[in-house]
Amino acid sequence: MEGKRILVVGLDPAVIDFSTPFFADKPWINAEVIHAGLARDKAALAAHRHETDLCMIDMGETAEAVTAAALAERHYDVVVFGAGVRNDPQHLLLFEKLINLVHREAPGTRIAFNTRPDDTADAALRWA
């Protein structure tokens, strides 16, 4: 069986302010933890013969354009949205815009959600 193509859309750790109230109860999370978790999950998905691309976005200035460009470049079977995009109330409008973008530009693509930087593979595998 041929593997699936998976796009992971998440906030670029370089633009995250880890001192905000959203991260106050998550002192264990930082840019290194995010990068390490995504690298492990990308390797885990590769072991299942799935190809994974990371789409790291900003807080909204170019997020839609960057995500649209990734979706236009190739077909994805699953798009995984990171918890930072969808759980932080200050990013609600961005999250809505990105969901509608996937709905419009990649109809039929499955959507999944991770809860931590290290469960992206689990989220993708639910729908791959």
Side-chain angles (χ1 to χ4, degrees):
M1 180 178 139
E2 184 178 311
K4 304 289 184 178
R5 289 186 175 161
I6 298 162
L7 180 66
V8 178
V9 178
L11 294 176
D12 183 336
V15 304
I16 297 174
D17 178 357
F18 292 101
S19 69
T20 63
F22 177 75
F23 289 101
D25 65 342
K26 302 165 194 66
W28 56 271
I29 195 163
N30 57 44
E32 293 79 24
V33 167
I34 292 170
H35 286 299
L38 290 172
R40 277 191 308 273
D41 282 353
K42 190 172 181 177
L45 289 165
H48 287 276
R49 297 178 13 143
H50 300 310
E51 188 175 337
T52 306
D53 292 325
L54 301 179
C55 180
M56 299 289 98
I57 60 172
D58 61 20
M59 301 293 188
E61 295 82 13
T62 65
E64 287 177 89
V66 168
T67 305
L71 292 171
E73 188 171 314
R74 62 188 342 178
H75 166 77
Y76 289 98
D77 299 290
V78 180
V79 174
V80 179
F81 283 97
V85 175
R86 65 180 177 69
N87 285 347
D88 190 337
Q90 69 180 341
H91 301 135
L92 177 62
L93 181 57
L94 172 61
F95 179 53
E96 287 179 350
K97 289 177 179 181
L98 294 173
I99 289 289
N100 282 304
L101 174 70
V102 172
H103 178 70
R104 183 178 62 249
E105 300 299 324
T109 298
R110 304 282 186 171
I111 296 175
F113 307 112
N114 73 6
T115 60
R116 303 178 315 273
D118 62 353
D119 72 353
T120 301
D122 295 335
L125 289 171
R126 287 192 297 265
W127 297 103

